[in-house]
Amino acid sequence: RCSQSYVREEQLTADFSDILSPYVLPQEWADDFRRRMQSDERDGSRTTANAVNNLREQAHEIERKLDRLMDVYIAQDIERDAYLSKRRGLMSDKRTLEEQIARLERDGNAWLEPMREWINHSEMLEEIQKDPSLPAKKSALQKIFGSNLKLQNQKVSGTAHPLYAAVAAARENSGVSDSVSVLVRVYELARTYFTLNPTP
């Protein structure tokens, strides 16, 4: 049996609105992010080529290490088990780099669409916050918190997704520190996240 008392829907709706408030992406930030994305999209091929070249250089370095490891093994300066263990680790690192190279060459700008969707959703949170509909708020909170929301002592709490947490922290600190650098940090975090996770 649940030991918590019931919460009225009106109270829950008001709590949800309060929770959404810090995660709203301000209009001027959203506009700035879109401008930065357009610039990054234009420079995307150059950025992708640089990233691919860096990854290829790392792969070549692993090849050189593998060659040196083989020389050491042939000279019998290393035990077979140690050789196999080190070789396995290096081969795994090399495969990871090759997969990253292939993904970047295939879809170097795949991060743009999910980031656009995130910006649009974060911007719409202001409207959702004012909407009296509980299902709309629940859906928005699920995107922000996933399944991490808790209801305890008639209060809702949870741990936000890192991107939304970054927006909340940036909004909190925007008056305290340089707002441009705060904005750039949030943008770079989002771009890095969606580059590494282009599909939800």
Side-chain angles (χ1 to χ4, degrees):
R1 286 177 56 174
C2 181
S3 61
Q4 301 289 313
S5 57
Y6 293 106
V7 180
R8 293 185 56 85
E9 185 174 324
E10 300 82 16
Q11 178 63 45
L12 204 53
T13 304
D15 285 351
F16 284 178
S17 291
D18 291 342
I19 291 170
L20 286 172
S21 181
Y23 304 107
V24 174
L25 188 67
Q27 177 72 47
E28 60 272 13
W29 291 18
D31 292 342
D32 183 76
F33 285 5
R34 288 185 184 103
R35 279 192 298 276
R36 290 175 191 276
M37 285 176 66
Q38 286 176 342
S39 173
D40 286 347
E41 188 173 14
R42 282 192 301 271
D43 299 338
S45 57
R46 187 170 2 116
T47 305
T48 300
N50 288 340
V52 166
N53 286 338
N54 288 338
L55 291 172
R56 282 200 173 119
E57 183 52 43
Q58 291 176 38
H60 289 312
E61 180 59 30
I62 288 175
E63 282 289 336
R64 288 189 283 274
K65 286 180 181 178
L66 283 167
D67 290 342
R68 286 194 301 269
L69 183 64
M70 176 63 84
D71 291 343
V72 169
Y73 178 66
I74 289 172
Q76 297 181 345
D77 290 338
I78 189 173
E79 293 293 321
R80 184 173 192 278
D81 290 341
Y83 164 74
L84 291 174
S85 173
K86 287 186 183 294
R87 186 175 185 282
R88 256 192 312 274
L90 288 170
M91 291 300 288
S92 173
D93 291 346
K94 184 181 172 194
R95 269 192 304 278
T96 301
L97 288 172
E98 288 169 348
E99 288 167 6
Q100 289 176 335
I101 290 169
R103 185 173 50 79
L104 280 173
E105 288 178 334
R106 184 180 63 244
D107 45 26
N109 282 335
W111 63 275
L112 289 166
E113 195 52 40
M115 186 153 168
R116 276 190 194 100
E117 290 175 19
W118 174 74
I119 290 170
N120 292 338
H121 179 262
S122 301
E123 204 175 11
M124 284 177 37
L125 289 177
E126 189 168 16
E127 293 172 28
I128 294 170
Q129 179 189 9
K130 294 173 184 170
D131 189 338
S133 166
L134 186 61
K137 288 179 177 28
K138 283 171 50 179
S139 175
L141 287 169
Q142 193 168 19
K143 282 191 175 182
I144 295 170
F145 294 98
S147 59
N148 296 329
L149 271 182
K150 293 180 230 164
L151 179 65
Q152 189 167 16
N153 298 327
Q154 297 186 333
K155 287 290 177 193
V156 179
S157 63
T159 304
H161 184 282
L163 294 180
Y164 289 101
V167 169
R171 287 189 60 167
E172 188 176 304
N173 296 326
S174 64
V176 178
S177 59
D178 178 21
S179 62
V180 173
S181 65
V182 168
L183 198 61
V184 169
R185 280 196 301 271
V186 174
Y187 175 79
E188 289 300 325
L189 174 69
R191 185 178 132 182
T192 301
Y193 176 82
F194 289 117
T195 299
L196 297 174
N197 306 283
T199 52

